Every structure is written in C-alpha cells, then in structure tokens.
Amino acid sequence: LLRKEAVHENEPQRILFLLRIILLILGLYFLIIPLVFCIVGPKTEVWTGYIFAALAVAAFYATYRLKVHTSVLVCSGLQLAWIIVFVILYGWDCGIQHLMFEMLVLVYFAIYNGVGYKIGYTAFLFAVRFVLFVYCRRNQPYYGLTENATVVLQIMNMILSFVLMGVVCAMFSSNVESAEKKLVLYNEQLKKQAGTDPLTGLWNRRQMMRYITEKHQKDSNMAFTLGMGDIDFFKKINDNWGHDCGDAVLVWITRHMSEVLGEHARLCRWGGEEFIFFFPDMNGDQVCEILNVLRMRLDNAP
C-alpha cells in the first residue's frame, strides 16, 4: 500500500513512499495527542487532534491522486497548519515549532524547483515562525498548561521532530549514496573501457603509457624491461579466412600470453597484431627466457 504508484506517470516513487510514511506518523501523533490531554490536561478541545488525524488520512489518500509536487505541499501545509494551531492554543514552550526544520528539508530535497523557489519557501517559513514567536510574546495561549503537561508535550514534540527529520534524512541520504555508488561504478566502467582493448580485453596503448608513466613518476630509477612482439603473416590470415578468423586468432593468442606472462608482465595490445609486454624489476635475460617459453608454446599449439 505504501509503495503503490500514483495515477500520474513518471512520478518519483521514493518520495511518494516517504510522504506516506510521514503522514502515517503524523496521523498516529494526532490520535495520541487527545489521549495525552485527557491524562495531563486540558481536557477541552481534544477534538483538534481528531480533526487533524482525519486531515492526515485525507492527505494520505491524496498521494495516490495528486502529483508528487502537490502532495509534498499538502503534507507541508498540514504540518504548518498544526504548528500554527498548536502554538496559538497551547503556547510556544511546547516546542512544536521545531517541526519546521523537517518541513524545510523535505521541500528542499523532494521538490525539483529552482533555488529562488526554495529561498522563498525558506523565507516564508522563517516569517511564520517569527510571527508566531512575536504573537506568543504578546499574548497568552488559549489554554494554560500545567508544568507536567508542558513537559510531556515538549517530549512528544521533540520525539516527533526527530523521528520525522530522521526519516526524511535517511531517505534522501540513501538516495544520494545510491546515486553516488552508481556514478562511481559507471565512471569505473568508462575508465576501464577507455583503457581496454574491446576484442582481447588487454590494455590498450593509452593505458599502458599511463601505467608506465605513473610507475616512472613514483620511482624514476626503477628497473624494468619492455618486450614487443607481433603475429607473423597475420595479414594472410585476414586475407584468406576473413577478419572474423583474424579476431579469433588474436583472442586465442591473448589467452596463451595471459597464461604464460600474466604473473610476470603487464600486457598491452599496441595496435593490429602488435603487443607490448612490460616486465617490472626484471632484466633482459630473464625476460628472454620467459618470452621463449611463450614462443615455443605458440609454435607447438595446434
């Protein structure tokens, strides 16, 4: 039910899911408030909580009918209306005004409007909060609360503010982490594709040059040996049996080279049928022995 799509297409489902979670929490909170008033007082005007609980249910239902942008504004409007009513009825000390910070985060991340829109929304919330603060400084609340009632309401409103802020931040932080992870993986994939020969899977010339340059920058006195080899009469293979057969030969030779040289060298397809082998910390005699093993294996392979 929480993940059900709205009637409109191409709407961000994660934000709809978040709005429904928020409205469920608010609805539960609105239902608990009258019970709290019946216990700690005042017992008058408890119907306010039931009215807002009904409004939360209506807003929950609206998430299946309205666009996400409108649903966010409806959810924020419901919270703002409760803040105004609560502060006027019970005073500033109950702490419900802190819920505005959650509203601010919700609109900033859930609505894809411009910066001007969000700055205006911030200024509007600040103005409402400031007006309520001035109002409470000049006027007494409609219903005076005992110290115990004030403390209980402060605790409830603090819990509500932190729970809603935690839910909103958890949702959007997971979105950011997921997007960042996908971006990192995508960049790694692009980097790999840019430095890899698509046919053989070996490094291409660019990646080999980058690797050698980085090794040299780390240690300009490093010992290494470069080997180079090509496939004899490779043009005849392409001419007589076609390029698909030539590609198969390249893949076949690459597999043998990787098996023989993989532990000792970095392999690179330099171009066409030419290959480069980079042997770190090895001298020419050692490399010649290894390359002779490779050459003999290719000579004897069917």
Side-chain angles (χ1 to χ4, degrees):
L1 184 64
L2 294 176
R3 296 187 181 277
K4 184 178 179 181
E5 297 183 0
V7 294
H8 301 282
E9 297 181 354
N10 301 322
E11 294 289 327
Q13 298 302 316
R14 290 174 68 90
I15 297 179
L16 282 176
F17 177 73
L18 171 63
L19 290 176
R20 291 163 187 165
I21 292 293
I22 291 174
L23 290 169
L24 282 180
I25 295 172
L26 287 173
L28 180 62
Y29 166 84
F30 293 146
L31 290 175
I32 292 175
I33 282 293
L35 300 177
V36 173
F37 283 151
C38 290
I39 297 173
V40 299
K43 296 182 180 180
T44 57
E45 308 297 338
V46 295
W47 49 267
T48 308
Y50 297 131
I51 290 177
F52 275 88
L55 292 175
V57 172
F60 184 92
Y61 175 76
T63 60
Y64 299 97
R65 299 295 176 184
L66 302 176
K67 289 184 175 293
V68 169
H69 181 281
T70 308
S71 296
V72 172
L73 294 180
V74 169
C75 182
S76 298
L78 177 66
Q79 296 179 69
L80 185 61
W82 175 255
I83 292 171
I84 294 172
V85 171
F86 200 96
V87 169
I88 292 175
L89 292 180
Y90 306 109
W92 185 264
D93 293 339
C94 294
I96 190 61
Q97 65 277 4
H98 301 314
L99 197 59
M100 288 185 178
F101 296 116
E102 174 268 331
M103 296 167 54
L104 195 64
V105 174
L106 176 64
V107 169
Y108 259 73
F109 288 96
I111 294 181
Y112 307 122
N113 286 34
V115 177
Y117 179 93
K118 295 175 180 178
I119 292 176
Y121 180 78
T122 304
F124 171 73
L125 282 186
F126 173 79
V128 173
R129 184 183 175 98
F130 185 77
V131 170
L132 287 175
F133 174 75
V134 173
Y135 173 86
C136 291
R137 296 287 293 179
R138 296 183 177 182
N139 301 276
Q140 293 297 321
Y142 275 82
Y143 301 103
L145 300 177
T146 64
E147 184 177 353
N148 289 337
T150 301
V151 171
V152 171
L153 290 176
Q154 282 180 344
I155 294 174
M156 285 191 59
N157 292 331
M158 187 188 307
I159 292 174
L160 175 68
S161 298
F162 270 85
V163 168
L164 290 183
M165 181 68 81
V167 169
V168 171
C169 291
M171 179 65 72
F172 290 123
S173 64
S174 64
N175 283 352
V176 172
E177 290 171 1
S178 176
E180 184 178 356
K181 183 178 180 181
K182 290 180 181 178
L183 184 61
V184 169
L185 292 176
Y186 182 67
N187 287 337
E188 287 293 329
Q189 191 177 30
L190 289 179
K191 183 178 178 181
K192 182 178 180 181
Q193 290 176 353
T196 304
D197 173 56
L199 176 63
T200 62
L202 298 178
W203 282 357
N204 59 21
R205 180 183 302 201
R206 175 189 300 174
Q207 181 63 23
M208 177 60 84
M209 293 299 297
R210 181 186 298 118
Y211 174 77
I212 295 175
T213 301
E214 291 176 354
K215 292 280 289 184
H216 183 262
Q217 289 175 347
K218 291 180 180 179
D219 182 10
S220 59
N221 297 318
M222 68 175 181
F224 67 93
T225 300
L226 281 176
M228 187 173 187
D230 66 353
I231 304 174
D232 293 342
F233 311 114
F234 185 69
K235 187 175 182 300
K236 290 184 178 180
I237 297 175
N238 286 326
D239 292 343
N240 293 334
W241 290 286
H243 288 278
D244 287 343
C245 183
D247 290 346
V249 170
L250 287 169
V251 173
W252 179 84
I253 287 185
T254 296
R255 177 169 57 83
H256 284 281
M257 289 193 301
S258 298
E259 291 175 357
V260 175
L261 307 178
E263 298 180 358
H264 307 284
R266 295 285 185 175
L267 310 181
C268 159
R269 185 182 177 191
W270 194 251
E273 80 278 18
E274 296 176 333
F275 298 90
I276 290 288
F277 317 106
F278 179 84
F279 296 86
D281 301 318
M282 297 184 68
N283 60 38
D285 293 336
Q286 295 171 310
V287 169
C288 281
E289 292 181 5
I290 297 174
L291 291 180
N292 277 327
V293 171
L294 172 63
R295 185 175 54 80
M296 293 175 62
R297 175 169 174 169
L298 294 177
D299 286 344
N300 296 325

